[in-house]
């Protein structure tokens, strides 16, 4: 090969080397940021890429419903972008809508592809913004169908054993309905990403049911049998994702904590038990809600604040000593309908809860994080409740969320390795 031929090649190679040295790091940074890994657990801690992970996140239950229609789909991306800018890592949302308007499952085994594509969009959009999703699979309440809809379906088809809502847990026909739904959902191939849900690390975990109660069997046996059966079924299809129950956190009739920690007597008579339900072998982490102002009717803010701390510490103690599993507080909030409510109370409530988690993280204890109930976009009054917040309209809440993200990142060292943390926490001391 003559020198005349060699010079253009050398020039090309020099150009390639220059581009690599100039932009190679950016490319590899992009690849690292774009690819999400599966979250696992080691004892009482969540683990991501070999390091502990603590969750600072929120609830936006409405994602799938709003992703169905063109005029409202943008709200999903806007909310995820806002969450990402606050360093939030997990959003909890509904992966169910049984019967009714914009139903995902129209009737047993019949699904609306238009709504499934909306859920595809939610998952793909979450991945774009580097946010993982905790997807809830059915509601104990009637909103979005819930167990009531399953019971009605069985009754309408003439196969139901009982008209009681709690037959959801013990009726063989309804169990088959629910297992069929689980199979279809877990093996769904996302029309946007091409990834089956069970293989998608954008999904942080599955939540079996939102706030399960079985009032017709306060011993807890009926609910426990159902949890054991359904969690084993899910794990037979999907062994990659974490799984939680979706409990409020009340202690059952045989627990000594029913007298010392439960808000009132009624809380032990709901057919659920925090420790027993969370001990189920296929449950990877425990879930708890924090609503003292809804559970007590005669307490002021200061008393509710003290209860919240005691409630959290009790469940983290269970996580450390009894369950040996992480404890994630998947809903918490302060109602603006309380008689003594002042906006500054919400800031104090949030900060107190965040402080408990931060102290637990520093000690490598089981307190694994929190999810605020709930964040919305302006103009969503019909989806709001007495806990809802548009985060960019509340500077103090935004600051608290960002501060919690950054200090949890410092505990694990992620603020040094993760590009997003470096950017949002660079102004932090």
């Amino acid at each position: 090969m003559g020198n005349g031929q060699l010079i253009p090649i050398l020039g090309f190679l020099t150009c390639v080397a220059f581009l690599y040295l100039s932009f190679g790091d950016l490319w590899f940074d992009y690849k690292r940021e774009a690819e999400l890994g599966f979250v696992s657990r080691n004892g009482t801690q969540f683990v991501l890429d070999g390091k502990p992970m603590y969750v600072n996140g929120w609830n936006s239950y409405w994602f799938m419903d709003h992703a169905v229609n063109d005029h409202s789909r943008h709200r999903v991306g806007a909310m995820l972008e806002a969450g990402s800018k606050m360093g939030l890592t997990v959003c909890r949302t509904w992966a169910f809508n049984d019967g009714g308007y914009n139903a995902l499952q129209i009737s047993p085994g019949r699904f609306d592809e238009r709504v499934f594509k909306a859920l595809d969009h939610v998952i793909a959009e979450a991945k774009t913004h580097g946010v993982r999703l905790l997807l809830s699979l059915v509601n104990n309440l009637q909103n979005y169908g819930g167990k009531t809809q399953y019971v009605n379906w069985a009754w309408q088809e003439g196969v139901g054993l009982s008209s009681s809502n709690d037959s959801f847990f013990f009726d063989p026909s309804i169990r088959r309905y629910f297992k069929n739904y689980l199979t279809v959902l877990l093996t769904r191939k996302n029309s946007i990403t091409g990834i089956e849900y069970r293989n998608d690390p954008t999904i942080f975990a599955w939540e079996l049911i939102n706030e399960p109660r079985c009032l017709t069997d306060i011993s807890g046996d009926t609910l426990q049998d159902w949890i054991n059966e359904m969690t084993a079924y899910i794990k037979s299809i999907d062994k990659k994702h974490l799984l939680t129950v979706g409990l409020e956190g009340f202690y059952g009739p045989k627990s000594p904590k029913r007298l010392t920690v439960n808000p009132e007597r009624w809380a032990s008579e709901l057919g659920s038990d925090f420790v027993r339900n969370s001990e189920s072998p296929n449950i990877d982490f425990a879930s708890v809600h924090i609503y003292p102002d809804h559970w007590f009717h005669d307490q002021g803010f200061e008393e509710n604040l003290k209860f919240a701390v005691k409630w959290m510490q009790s469940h983290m103690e269970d996580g450390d000593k009894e369950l040996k599993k992480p404890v994630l507080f998947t809903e918490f909030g302060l109602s603006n309908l309380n008689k003594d409510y002042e906006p500054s109370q919400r800031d104090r409530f949030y900060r107190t809860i965040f402080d408990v988690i931060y102290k637990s993280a520093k000690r490598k204890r089981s307190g694994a994080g929190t999810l605020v109930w709930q964040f919305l976009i302006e103009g969503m009054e019909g989806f709001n409740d007495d806990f809802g917040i548009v985060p960019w309209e509340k500077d103090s809440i935004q600051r608290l969320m960002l501060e919690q993200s950054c200090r949890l990142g410092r505990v694990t060292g992620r603020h040094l390795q993760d590009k997003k943390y470096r950017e949002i926490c660079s102004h932090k001391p």
Side-chain angles (χ1 to χ4, degrees):
M1 183 181 292
N3 289 342
Q5 291 173 299
L6 188 61
I7 289 170
I9 295 172
L10 289 173
F12 172 76
L13 292 174
T14 302
C15 182
V16 169
F18 172 78
L19 289 171
Y20 173 80
L21 290 171
S22 300
F23 302 106
D25 286 346
L26 288 176
W27 167 251
F28 286 112
D29 272 353
Y30 167 76
K31 292 295 286 182
R32 276 196 295 270
E33 294 298 318
E35 294 300 322
L36 295 175
F38 281 95
V39 178
S40 60
R41 79 168 176 97
N42 182 13
T44 60
Q45 294 186 314
F46 293 133
V47 177
L48 176 62
D49 301 328
K51 285 183 172 291
M53 173 187 174
Y54 297 99
V55 172
N56 188 31
W58 82 101
N59 284 267
S60 286
Y61 73 89
W62 44 269
F63 274 179
M64 182 175 71
D65 188 49
H66 280 248
V68 174
N69 299 310
D70 292 340
H71 71 275
S72 56
R73 190 172 300 124
H74 71 279
R75 291 171 174 164
V76 175
M79 188 70 258
L80 286 164
E81 182 179 2
S84 182
K85 286 180 177 177
M86 288 184 280
L88 307 186
T89 51
V90 175
C91 176
R92 178 172 173 259
T93 193
W94 296 168
F96 62 82
N97 190 357
D98 301 303
Y101 180 70
N102 277 347
L104 174 62
Q105 189 173 200
I106 303 165
S107 60
R110 288 185 60 233
F111 295 84
D112 189 332
E113 179 63 17
R114 184 179 59 105
V115 183
F116 242 138
K117 285 183 176 178
L119 185 55
D120 293 344
H121 172 81
V122 170
I123 296 170
E125 196 72 10
K127 180 179 181 180
T128 298
H129 293 285
V131 174
R132 290 175 173 79
L133 299 173
L134 172 55
L135 294 179
S136 191
L137 300 173
V138 70
N139 208 351
N140 188 76
L141 309 172
Q142 292 188 25
N143 305 53
Y144 293 85
K147 63 183 187 182
T148 301
Q149 182 62 70
Y150 279 89
V151 173
N152 288 343
W153 281 335
W155 202 246
Q156 290 162 9
E157 293 187 4
V159 295
L161 293 179
S162 167
S163 59
S164 164
N165 283 351
D166 287 345
S167 65
F168 174 81
F169 297 117
F170 61 78
D171 188 316
S173 297
I174 296 174
R175 288 190 181 206
R176 283 196 297 273
Y177 292 164
F178 189 59
K179 283 181 177 178
N180 182 67
Y181 156 76
L182 293 173
T183 302
V184 172
L185 186 81
L186 297 174
T187 60
R188 164 76 178 181
K189 186 175 182 179
N190 192 306
S191 60
I192 299 169
T193 67
I195 303 171
E196 287 189 2
Y197 287 7
R198 61 180 169 178
N199 295 325
D200 194 338
T202 310
I203 298 168
F204 168 74
W206 304 108
E207 179 183 272
L208 186 58
I209 179 172
N210 175 50
E211 298 187 340
R213 297 181 178 186
C214 185
L215 301 179
T216 56
D217 181 8
I218 64 172
S219 76
D221 292 344
T222 298
L223 179 59
Q224 187 65 33
D225 289 346
W226 181 83
I227 290 171
N228 289 341
E229 180 177 341
M230 294 305 163
T231 55
Y233 187 75
I234 289 171
K235 289 291 188 177
S236 74
I237 299 172
D238 178 3
K239 294 179 174 63
K240 295 181 179 179
H241 285 107
L242 300 173
L243 181 57
T244 194
V245 179
L247 298 165
E248 295 162 278
F250 301 124
Y251 296 97
K254 295 180 181 177
S255 169
K257 286 190 174 183
R258 77 189 188 282
L259 301 174
T260 58
V261 184
N262 270 358
E264 292 173 353
R265 180 177 174 178
W266 56 263
S268 66
E269 300 174 348
L270 304 175
S272 63
D273 180 85
F274 172 71
V275 173
R276 185 187 182 195
N277 299 155
S278 302
E279 277 179 333
S280 188
N282 289 303
I283 291 299
D284 298 296
F285 66 95
S287 43
V288 187
H289 295 177
I290 313 171
Y291 291 116
D293 51 1
H294 270 204
W295 298 339
F296 296 100
H297 302 291
D298 56 351
Q299 288 193 169
F301 173 72
E302 296 297 335
E303 290 175 296
N304 285 334
L305 198 60
K306 289 178 183 176
F307 174 84
V309 173
K310 177 183 176 182
W311 182 251
M312 293 179 74
Q313 290 174 339
S314 173
H315 289 81
M316 291 187 301
E317 178 184 68
D318 297 330
D320 288 318
K321 296 179 180 179
E322 299 285 332
L323 301 171
K324 307 292 195 296
K325 297 177 183 181
V327 178
L328 184 61
F329 297 89
T330 51
E331 287 188 28
F332 76 92
L334 187 74
S335 171
N336 60 16
L337 298 180
N338 297 332
K339 291 179 181 178
D340 62 346
Y341 177 78
E342 296 175 7
S344 62
Q345 291 175 350
R346 209 169 246 175
D347 293 3
R348 278 190 64 201
F349 191 74
Y350 278 37
R351 178 174 289 283
T352 298
I353 286 171
F354 289 160
D355 284 347
V356 171
I357 292 298
Y358 177 57
K359 289 173 184 174
S360 176
K362 285 202 299 182
R363 296 168 184 162
K364 296 181 170 58
R365 305 289 290 276
S366 66
T370 55
L371 304 175
V372 174
W373 182 275
Q374 63 160 325
F375 283 168
L376 308 100
I377 305 291
E378 58 272 2
M380 290 183 60
E381 288 76 12
F383 292 80
N384 203 351
D385 55 18
D386 45 319
F387 298 94
I389 295 173
V390 178
W392 46 84
E393 292 180 354
K394 304 287 184 183
D395 287 342
S396 59
I397 295 295
Q398 265 193 304
R399 284 195 302 271
L400 280 171
M401 300 296 292
L402 178 59
E403 179 186 87
Q404 180 75 344
S405 295
C406 293
R407 62 180 182 169
L408 290 178
R410 285 194 291 273
V411 167
T412 61
R414 291 190 185 280
H415 70 301
L416 299 174
Q417 293 184 327
D418 190 291
K419 182 180 178 183
K420 182 169 77 172
Y421 276 106
R422 289 200 303 271
E423 289 175 351
I424 68 172
C425 301
S426 59
H427 64 287
K428 292 287 175 183

Coordinates of all heavy atoms in Angstrom, one line a residue, residues 58 60 62-63 73-89 91 121-122 124-133 375-377 391-392 398 402 405 420 423-424:
W58 N -43.4 8.6 45.0 CA -44.7 9.2 45.1 C -45.8 8.2 44.5 O -45.4 7.3 43.8 CB -44.8 10.5 44.5 CG -44.9 10.6 43.0 CD1 -46.1 10.8 42.3 CD2 -43.9 10.4 42.0 NE1 -45.9 10.8 41.0 CE2 -44.5 10.5 40.7 CE3 -42.6 10.1 42.0 CZ2 -43.9 10.4 39.5 CZ3 -41.9 9.9 40.8 CH2 -42.5 10.1 39.6
S60 N -49.0 8.3 41.9 CA -49.9 8.9 40.9 C -50.7 7.8 40.3 O -50.4 7.2 39.3 CB -49.1 9.6 39.8 OG -48.6 10.8 40.3
W62 N -53.3 7.5 38.8 CA -54.1 7.9 37.6 C -53.4 7.7 36.3 O -54.0 8.0 35.2 CB -54.6 9.3 37.7 CG -53.5 10.3 38.2 CD1 -53.2 10.6 39.5 CD2 -52.6 11.0 37.4 NE1 -52.2 11.5 39.5 CE2 -51.8 11.7 38.2 CE3 -52.4 11.0 36.0 CZ2 -50.7 12.6 37.7 CZ3 -51.3 11.8 35.5 CH2 -50.5 12.6 36.4
F63 N -52.2 7.3 36.3 CA -51.4 7.3 35.0 C -52.0 6.5 33.9 O -52.2 7.1 32.8 CB -50.0 6.6 35.3 CG -49.0 7.6 35.8 CD1 -47.7 7.1 36.1 CD2 -49.2 8.9 36.0 CE1 -46.7 8.0 36.6 CE2 -48.3 9.8 36.5 CZ -47.0 9.3 36.8
R73 N -52.8 12.5 27.8 CA -51.6 11.6 27.9 C -50.4 12.4 28.3 O -49.5 11.8 29.0 CB -51.4 10.9 26.5 CG -50.3 9.8 26.6 CD -50.3 9.1 25.2 NE -51.6 8.5 25.0 CZ -52.3 8.7 23.9 NH1 -51.8 9.5 22.9 NH2 -53.4 8.0 23.7
H74 N -50.3 13.7 28.0 CA -49.1 14.4 28.3 C -48.9 14.6 29.8 O -47.7 14.8 30.2 CB -49.2 15.8 27.7 CG -50.2 16.7 28.3 ND1 -51.6 16.6 28.1 CD2 -50.1 17.7 29.3 CE1 -52.3 17.5 28.8 NE2 -51.4 18.1 29.6
R75 N -49.9 14.4 30.6 CA -49.8 14.6 32.0 C -48.9 13.5 32.6 O -48.2 13.8 33.6 CB -51.2 14.5 32.7 CG -52.1 15.7 32.3 CD -53.5 15.5 32.8 NE -54.3 16.7 32.6 CZ -55.6 16.8 32.7 NH1 -56.3 15.7 32.9 NH2 -56.2 17.9 32.5
V76 N -48.9 12.3 32.0 CA -48.0 11.3 32.5 C -46.6 11.6 32.4 O -45.8 11.6 33.4 CB -48.3 9.9 31.8 CG1 -47.3 8.8 32.2 CG2 -49.7 9.5 31.9
G77 N -46.1 12.1 31.2 CA -44.8 12.5 31.0 C -44.4 13.7 31.9 O -43.3 13.8 32.4
A78 N -45.3 14.7 32.0 CA -45.0 15.9 32.8 C -44.8 15.5 34.3 O -43.9 16.0 34.9 CB -46.2 16.9 32.7
M79 N -45.6 14.6 34.8 CA -45.5 14.2 36.2 C -44.2 13.4 36.4 O -43.5 13.6 37.4 CB -46.7 13.4 36.6 CG -46.8 13.0 38.1 SD -47.2 14.5 39.1 CE -45.6 14.9 39.8
L80 N -43.9 12.5 35.5 CA -42.7 11.7 35.6 C -41.4 12.6 35.5 O -40.4 12.4 36.2 CB -42.6 10.6 34.5 CG -43.5 9.4 34.8 CD1 -43.7 8.6 33.5 CD2 -43.0 8.6 35.9
E81 N -41.5 13.6 34.6 CA -40.4 14.5 34.5 C -40.2 15.3 35.8 O -39.0 15.5 36.2 CB -40.6 15.5 33.3 CG -39.4 16.5 33.1 CD -39.7 17.4 31.9 OE1 -40.8 17.3 31.3 OE2 -38.8 18.2 31.6
A82 N -41.3 15.8 36.3 CA -41.2 16.5 37.6 C -40.6 15.7 38.7 O -39.8 16.1 39.5 CB -42.6 17.1 38.0
G83 N -41.1 14.4 38.8 CA -40.6 13.5 39.8 C -39.1 13.3 39.6 O -38.3 13.3 40.6
S84 N -38.6 13.1 38.4 CA -37.2 12.8 38.1 C -36.4 14.0 38.5 O -35.3 13.8 39.1 CB -37.1 12.5 36.6 OG -35.7 12.2 36.3
K85 N -36.9 15.2 38.3 CA -36.1 16.4 38.7 C -36.0 16.6 40.2 O -35.1 17.3 40.6 CB -36.8 17.6 38.0 CG -36.6 17.8 36.5 CD -37.2 19.0 36.0 CE -36.9 19.1 34.5 NZ -37.6 20.3 33.9
M86 N -36.9 15.9 40.9 CA -36.7 16.0 42.4 C -35.9 14.8 42.9 O -35.8 14.6 44.1 CB -38.1 16.0 43.0 CG -38.9 17.3 42.9 SD -40.5 17.2 43.7 CE -41.5 16.3 42.6
G87 N -35.4 14.0 42.0 CA -34.6 12.8 42.3 C -35.4 11.6 42.8 O -34.9 10.7 43.4
L88 N -36.7 11.6 42.5 CA -37.6 10.6 42.9 C -37.4 9.3 42.1 O -37.2 9.4 40.9 CB -39.0 11.0 42.9 CG -39.4 12.3 43.6 CD1 -40.9 12.6 43.7 CD2 -38.8 12.3 45.0
T89 N -37.3 8.2 42.7 CA -36.9 7.0 42.0 C -38.0 6.0 41.7 O -37.9 5.2 40.8 CB -35.9 6.2 42.9 OG1 -36.4 6.1 44.2 CG2 -34.6 7.0 43.0
C91 N -42.5 5.4 41.4 CA -43.8 5.9 41.4 C -44.8 4.7 41.5 O -44.6 3.7 40.8 CB -44.2 6.7 40.2 SG -45.9 7.3 40.1
H121 N -47.5 2.7 27.4 CA -47.0 4.1 27.3 C -46.4 4.5 28.7 O -45.4 5.2 28.8 CB -48.1 5.1 26.9 CG -47.7 6.5 26.9 ND1 -46.9 7.1 26.0 CD2 -47.9 7.5 27.9 CE1 -46.7 8.4 26.3 NE2 -47.3 8.6 27.5
V122 N -47.2 4.2 29.7 CA -46.8 4.6 31.1 C -45.4 4.0 31.4 O -44.5 4.7 31.9 CB -47.8 4.2 32.1 CG1 -47.3 4.4 33.6 CG2 -49.1 5.0 32.0
A124 N -43.1 2.8 29.3 CA -42.1 3.3 28.4 C -41.7 4.7 28.8 O -40.5 5.1 28.8 CB -42.6 3.3 27.0
E125 N -42.6 5.5 29.2 CA -42.4 6.9 29.6 C -41.6 6.9 30.9 O -40.7 7.8 31.1 CB -43.7 7.7 29.8 CG -43.6 9.2 29.8 CD -43.2 9.8 28.5 OE1 -43.2 9.1 27.5 OE2 -42.9 11.0 28.5
A126 N -41.9 6.0 31.9 CA -41.2 5.9 33.1 C -39.7 5.6 32.8 O -38.8 6.2 33.4 CB -41.8 4.9 34.0
K127 N -39.5 4.7 31.9 CA -38.1 4.3 31.6 C -37.3 5.5 31.0 O -36.2 5.7 31.4 CB -38.1 3.2 30.6 CG -36.7 2.7 30.1 CD -36.7 1.6 29.1 CE -35.3 1.2 28.8 NZ -35.3 0.0 27.8
T128 N -38.0 6.3 30.2 CA -37.4 7.5 29.6 C -36.9 8.4 30.6 O -35.8 9.0 30.5 CB -38.4 8.2 28.7 OG1 -38.7 7.3 27.6 CG2 -37.8 9.5 28.1
H129 N -37.7 8.6 31.7 CA -37.3 9.5 32.8 C -36.5 8.9 33.9 O -36.3 9.5 34.9 CB -38.6 10.2 33.3 CG -39.3 11.1 32.3 ND1 -38.8 12.3 32.0 CD2 -40.4 10.9 31.5 CE1 -39.6 12.9 31.1 NE2 -40.5 12.0 30.8
G130 N -36.2 7.6 33.8 CA -35.4 6.9 34.8 C -36.1 6.7 36.1 O -35.5 6.6 37.2
V131 N -37.4 6.5 36.0 CA -38.3 6.3 37.2 C -38.8 4.9 37.1 O -39.2 4.4 36.1 CB -39.4 7.3 37.3 CG1 -40.4 6.9 38.5 CG2 -38.9 8.7 37.5
R132 N -38.8 4.1 38.2 CA -39.3 2.8 38.3 C -40.8 2.8 38.8 O -41.1 3.8 39.5 CB -38.5 1.9 39.1 CG -37.1 1.5 38.5 CD -36.3 0.7 39.5 NE -35.0 0.3 38.8 CZ -34.0 1.1 38.6 NH1 -34.0 2.3 39.0 NH2 -32.9 0.6 37.9
L133 N -41.5 1.8 38.5 CA -42.9 1.8 38.8 C -43.2 0.6 39.8 O -42.8 -0.5 39.6 CB -43.8 1.6 37.6 CG -43.7 2.7 36.5 CD1 -44.4 2.3 35.3 CD2 -44.2 4.0 37.1
F375 N -49.4 12.9 44.1 CA -49.0 14.0 43.3 C -49.9 14.0 42.0 O -50.2 13.0 41.4 CB -47.6 13.9 42.8 CG -46.6 14.3 43.9 CD1 -45.2 14.1 43.7 CD2 -47.0 15.0 45.0 CE1 -44.3 14.4 44.7 CE2 -46.1 15.3 46.0 CZ -44.7 15.1 45.8
L376 N -50.3 15.2 41.6 CA -51.1 15.4 40.4 C -50.6 16.6 39.6 O -49.7 17.3 40.0 CB -52.6 15.7 40.8 CG -53.3 14.8 41.8 CD1 -53.3 15.4 43.2 CD2 -54.7 14.5 41.4
I377 N -51.3 16.8 38.5 CA -51.0 17.9 37.6 C -52.2 18.9 37.8 O -53.3 18.5 38.1 CB -51.0 17.5 36.1 CG1 -50.0 16.4 35.9 CG2 -50.7 18.6 35.2 CD1 -48.5 16.8 36.0
P391 N -46.9 19.4 42.9 CA -45.6 19.7 43.6 C -45.0 21.0 43.2 O -44.4 21.7 44.1 CB -44.7 18.5 43.2 CG -45.4 17.8 42.1 CD -46.8 18.1 42.2
W392 N -45.1 21.4 42.0 CA -44.4 22.7 41.6 C -45.2 23.9 42.1 O -44.8 25.0 41.9 CB -44.2 22.7 40.1 CG -45.3 22.3 39.2 CD1 -46.4 23.1 38.8 CD2 -45.5 21.0 38.7 NE1 -47.2 22.4 38.1 CE2 -46.7 21.1 37.9 CE3 -44.8 19.8 38.7 CZ2 -47.3 20.0 37.2 CZ3 -45.3 18.8 38.0 CH2 -46.5 18.9 37.3
Q398 N -41.5 20.6 47.3 CA -40.4 20.3 46.3 C -39.1 20.3 47.0 O -38.3 19.4 46.7 CB -40.4 21.3 45.2 CG -41.3 20.9 44.0 CD -41.0 21.8 42.8 OE1 -41.1 23.0 42.9 NE2 -40.6 21.2 41.7
L402 N -36.6 17.0 47.3 CA -35.2 17.0 46.7 C -34.2 16.8 47.8 O -33.2 16.0 47.5 CB -35.0 18.4 46.0 CG -33.6 18.6 45.4 CD1 -33.3 17.6 44.3 CD2 -33.6 20.0 44.8
S405 N -34.1 13.1 48.6 CA -33.4 12.3 47.5 C -31.9 12.4 47.6 O -31.2 11.4 47.5 CB -33.9 12.8 46.2 OG -35.3 12.6 45.9
K420 N -27.7 11.6 37.3 CA -28.9 12.4 37.7 C -28.7 13.0 39.1 O -29.0 14.1 39.4 CB -30.2 11.5 37.7 CG -31.4 12.3 38.1 CD -32.7 11.4 37.7 CE -32.9 10.4 38.8 NZ -34.2 9.7 38.6
E423 N -26.3 15.9 39.1 CA -26.9 17.1 38.6 C -27.8 17.8 39.6 O -27.7 19.0 39.9 CB -27.7 16.8 37.3 CG -26.8 16.5 36.1 CD -27.6 16.1 34.9 OE1 -28.8 15.9 35.0 OE2 -26.9 15.9 33.9
I424 N -28.8 17.0 40.2 CA -29.8 17.7 41.1 C -29.2 18.0 42.4 O -29.8 18.9 43.1 CB -31.0 16.8 41.2 CG1 -30.7 15.5 41.9 CG2 -31.6 16.5 39.8 CD1 -32.0 14.7 42.2

